[in-house]
Amino acid sequence: MARRPMVAGNWKMYKTAGEAVVLVQDVAELVDDVWDKVEVVVCPPFTDLKSASTVIELDKLTMGLGAQDVFYEEEGAFTGAIAPRMLADLRVDYVIVGHSERREYFGDTDETVNLKVKAVLKHRMTPIVCCGESLAVRDAGETEGFVRGQIAAGLAGLDADAAAKLVVAYEPIWAIGTGRTPTPEGANDVCRTIRATVGAMYGPPAAMSVRVLYGGSVKPENAGMFFGEPDIDGALVGGASLDASSFSDIVHAARP
Ligand code: PGA
């Protein structure tokens, strides 16, 4: 399949700006041999983006830079918020949108996710749109319908070309930071449903091109199993992305 694998590190609320420079350089050194085969992205906190962006540029690192969230307005009296053009100005390539922790603690909904996706695209960055079910939804046997609904609402109203370039991360909430994961086949089933939903909305070429990542307790020990599945194009990695060697091992496991 022509889709380029991607491994993105979601650093969450860890690392100062100085620590970010060290981690970016350590990761870059370890993944240098696979840059043409696997797209590597780091998503540090907002306060680290400037230093990460500078080291990526000065050291000419082949690494993508992502933010963990954004607000959808252009500018204005929104204390504490960050606008898309502020990220674009720092040469941010990707923006994680709708992570379950943003939905749980900061009030993101499918509607605000949709507004954020559009705002990110407008500023020529690529959203990494997160979706995934709670344990209660899973236990009720409603995972596929729930995720389909999140995608239909979160990705509504885009044009097909934009949809084709999107990245979607399937992250079951019960697997995030818990050490528990679905089976690779089970994760692939949901990723296939996500791809089919994008196809129903934007046509088969968009379905073929959209990259779908798995996220939730991805570690060097289990990454290869997920990457062996046909509808999983890489991973969104939390905890293991804070350690350069673990993250590099996951990147290497994504080599086609
Ligand atoms: P985890 O987090 O890898 O620590 O489970 C993944 C995520 O929240 O993106």
Side-chain angles (χ1 to χ4, degrees), residues 122-251:
K122 185 171 168 204
H123 287 270
R124 298 181 202 294
M125 298 175 288
T126 302
I128 300 175
V129 186
C130 298
C131 61
E133 81 288 359
S134 64
L135 201 54
V137 169
R138 161 151 299 232
D139 287 345
E142 289 164 3
T143 296
E144 306 245 340
F146 180 84
V147 169
R148 212 181 292 122
Q150 283 186 318
I151 295 298
L155 304 188
L158 311 181
D159 56 58
D161 286 350
K165 296 193 185 97
L166 287 177
V167 180
V168 177
Y170 168 54
E171 300 203 307
I173 296 169
W174 51 271
I176 295 176
T178 60
R180 296 181 55 201
T181 63
T183 63
E185 303 76 35
N188 189 70
D189 286 346
V190 184
C191 292
R192 191 191 310 117
T193 296
I194 291 167
R195 195 177 299 290
T197 308
V198 171
M201 295 169 79
Y202 297 112
M208 285 299 290
S209 317
V210 68
R211 286 185 289 180
V212 183
L213 312 181
Y214 167 74
S217 296
V218 175
K219 308 279 177 235
E221 305 77 56
N222 61 21
M225 293 188 302
F226 291 107
F227 299 154
E229 295 293 327
D231 282 294
I232 297 178
D233 302 314
L236 182 56
V237 184
S241 72
L242 296 168
D243 178 76
S245 115
S246 297
F247 189 59
S248 159
D249 287 349
I250 295 169
V251 170

